[in-house]
Amino acid sequence: MMAKFFSVFAVAFVTSTALQLEKSARDHLVHDLLNNYHHSVEPSGRIDLKFRLSLSCLRFDPAISQLQTSAWEKYSWSDYRLSWNPKDYDGIDKLRLPASLIWKPDLDCYNALEAEERTSENVLINSDGEILWIPRALYKTHCVVENEKPACDLSFGSWTYDHWTVTMETEGDGVDMTWYMNKTCPWLVESFTAQTKTTFYPCCKEPYATLDIILNPRPNKNEEEKSSSPEKK
């Protein structure tokens, strides 16, 4: 009986010690990365930014030709200041931190009539300095309607970083439909296009990168049938 007790105690002690060591290594890693790190300053050199819009639901108002887009914005880039050797930190090769603690690109939807502030999800940082950030977004934009078919442009770009500082490219085709709520959204995506371009403005000698996404929504017939069918009594 005593042997069994000491065996259980030994396992618990070893497990607890391992967890403490891992916690200490993680705390040590966070301290080393963020000590003298300035989140308001971008990494030196050119920043290659990949962007993808993961749509969850569209709502189009034909009366005012306005589209409400619910989505997740997926960003990935590299920050050499947030890289480390996992061997120095008990093999830790990934780290999750509040997004407010690190530098992030200032992309925005230029032509949004309304936009909710991005939620502050954590960022995922790999040991090689690669960063993944996927905040939720909601914006309203104006659409052009021809032959009762709306075309809605969402134009994304940086407010302050030129193309020579932050280059922007799409991940995949630029739009992800994996998590779209086909069964409940009143409008579906019939088609879309996504294209990056660089533009020179009168104010500045540097070009600025822009990603133009055009969505072509159509009514969800399943939802129309639900709303038009009489309720059973």
Side-chain angles (χ1 to χ4, degrees):
M1 184 70 179
M2 290 297 293
K4 183 177 181 181
F5 171 78
F6 282 113
S7 177
V8 172
F9 176 79
V11 171
F13 177 78
V14 170
T15 302
S16 176
T17 303
L19 290 174
Q20 289 180 359
L21 287 173
E22 182 180 357
K23 181 179 178 182
S24 298
R26 195 172 298 277
D27 290 342
H28 184 46
L29 172 59
V30 172
H31 175 270
D32 289 349
L33 291 178
L34 298 183
N35 188 33
N36 296 322
Y37 180 93
H38 300 285
H39 70 271
S40 60
V41 179
E42 74 275 10
S44 60
R46 190 180 71 176
I47 303 165
D48 295 320
L49 174 66
K50 290 185 178 180
F51 178 81
R52 192 174 192 180
L53 192 66
S54 182
L55 299 176
S56 58
C57 191
L58 300 181
R59 290 179 171 84
F60 178 69
D61 187 344
I64 57 176
S65 300
Q66 189 176 105
L67 181 71
Q68 177 179 288
T69 303
S70 300
W72 295 91
E73 298 175 341
K74 182 180 180 182
Y75 301 86
S76 59
W77 71 96
S78 181
D79 189 336
Y80 67 92
R81 300 171 297 177
L82 298 174
S83 60
W84 69 92
N85 187 345
K87 294 180 180 179
D88 297 333
Y89 300 93
D90 288 349
I92 297 173
D93 60 358
K94 289 183 177 61
L95 190 64
R96 293 163 182 84
L97 290 176
S100 60
L101 296 180
I102 72 166
W103 178 88
K104 301 178 298 298
D106 62 347
L107 248 66
D108 212 339
C109 185
Y110 285 159
N111 60 327
L113 303 172
E114 294 181 27
E116 288 190 2
E117 185 175 352
R118 292 181 178 89
T119 53
S120 55
E121 282 80 7
N122 285 351
V123 292
L124 176 63
I125 308 173
N126 291 315
S127 59
D128 60 359
E130 286 292 321
I131 299 170
L132 177 64
W133 181 43
I134 312 179
R136 184 189 295 274
L138 176 68
Y139 18 72
K140 295 179 180 179
T141 51
H142 181 72
C143 304
V144 176
V145 181
E146 294 183 0
N147 299 321
E148 298 184 353
K149 293 184 178 181
C152 310
D153 181 28
L154 287 78
S155 184
F156 295 91
S158 169
W159 281 110
T160 60
Y161 294 106
D162 59 67
H163 179 62
W164 296 338
T165 304
V166 177
T167 63
M168 186 167 58
E169 60 180 277
T170 60
E171 179 183 308
D173 51 18
V175 177
D176 181 18
M177 300 295 300
T178 304
W179 306 107
Y180 197 83
M181 297 183 289
N182 292 294
K183 295 182 178 180
T184 57
C185 285
W187 288 76
L188 302 178
V189 181
E190 183 173 23
S191 61
F192 67 85
T193 60
Q195 184 177 10
T196 56
K197 63 180 182 181
T198 55
T199 305
F200 286 89
Y201 296 97
C203 67
C204 316
K205 62 180 181 180
E206 305 89 356
Y208 284 78
T210 305
L211 169 62
D212 287 327
I213 296 175
I214 298 179
L215 302 175
N216 302 108
R218 64 173 175 83
N220 187 343
K221 293 182 179 180
N222 292 332
E223 286 299 303
E224 286 184 340
E225 291 173 358
K226 289 180 183 178
S227 61
S228 60
S229 62
E231 294 184 1
K232 293 182 180 180
K233 297 182 180 180

